[in-house]
């Protein structure tokens, strides 16, 4: 205990003899002994190894899924509308291009719409199998009311 200038007894500050500015990279003795005693530093390293191992396993599983799920399959079919021509009030000639792998059977759904966007004609067309990748198709579509739009809605590989 030390005497204050007034004369009352004041306890010495805890750690008063500790350096207020320790050197970088050094730890106080109390925290160093706790880490040595309980191994706090080692646990953190083990946790990081487990986390990196789990992340690596997830990446490997994702790559394996993509390789074996068929995402790279070549049976991709695309369709592009060219247009349509009115034959009369109740029939249209719809023209579109289908891109598919050669020698692959493909079918397309062709649809006609009126001004209210209601379907007034619908037909599934099987595209002839050819050695070409792109094939232009023209089909006659019967409608129940005059149509204002006609489109090849979707195409798919026939299995």
């Amino acid at each position: 205990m030390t005497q204050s200038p007034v004369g009352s007894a004041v306890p010495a500050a805890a750690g008063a003899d500790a350096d207020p500015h320790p050197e970088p990279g050094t730890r106080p003795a109390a925290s160093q002994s706790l880490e040595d005693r309980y191994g706090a530093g080692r646990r953190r390293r083990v946790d990081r190894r487990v986390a990196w191992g789990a992340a690596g396993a997830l990446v490997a599983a994702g790559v394996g899924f993509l390789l074996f799920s068929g995402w790279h399959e070549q049976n991709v079919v695309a369709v592009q509308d060219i247009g349509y021509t009115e034959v009369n009030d109740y029939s249209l000639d719809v023209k579109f291009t289908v891109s598919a792998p050669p020698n692959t059977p493909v079918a397309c759904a062709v649809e006609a719409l009126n001004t209210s966007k209601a379907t007034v004609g619908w037909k599934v067309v099987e595209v002839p199998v050819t050695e070409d990748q792109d094939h232009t198709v023209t089909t006659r579509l019967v409608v129940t009311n005059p149509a204002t739009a006609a489109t090849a809605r979707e195409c798919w590989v026939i299995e």
Side-chain angles (χ1 to χ4, degrees):
M1 290 233 230
T2 60
Q3 292 287 346
S4 68
V6 178
S8 64
V10 177
D17 51 338
D19 186 9
H21 304 290
E23 291 182 33
T26 61
R27 292 184 237 154
S31 65
Q32 187 174 2
S33 65
L34 288 176
E35 285 180 6
D36 290 340
R37 180 179 292 172
Y38 298 111
R42 266 187 251 124
R43 181 189 303 154
R44 204 171 322 147
R45 266 184 271 141
V46 171
D47 289 344
R48 284 186 187 155
R49 281 186 284 190
V50 170
W52 280 108
L58 285 174
V59 168
V63 169
F65 175 77
L66 290 176
L67 288 176
F68 294 108
S69 67
W71 67 273
H72 59 287
E73 195 171 305
Q74 296 299 319
N75 287 338
V76 177
V77 179
V79 63
Q80 177 68 44
D81 290 323
I82 295 175
Y84 72 97
T85 306
E86 283 188 29
V87 176
N88 57 39
D89 285 344
Y90 297 104
S91 63
L92 308 169
D93 283 339
V94 182
K95 191 173 184 180
F96 56 94
T97 301
V98 178
S99 296
N103 300 318
T104 304
V106 175
C108 297
V110 182
E111 178 181 35
L113 306 171
N114 66 8
T115 56
S116 302
K117 305 271 192 265
T119 301
V120 293
W122 179 269
K123 181 178 182 180
V124 174
V125 178
E126 289 190 19
V127 178
V129 176
T130 64
E131 300 241 349
D132 299 331
Q133 183 171 356
D134 296 329
H135 192 77
T136 301
V137 179
T138 302
T139 185
R140 175 110 355 132
L141 185 62
V142 177
V143 294
T144 57
N145 292 315
T148 57
T151 182
R153 179 63 96 185
E154 181 180 3
C155 294
W156 60 91
V157 174
I158 301 172
E159 295 185 21

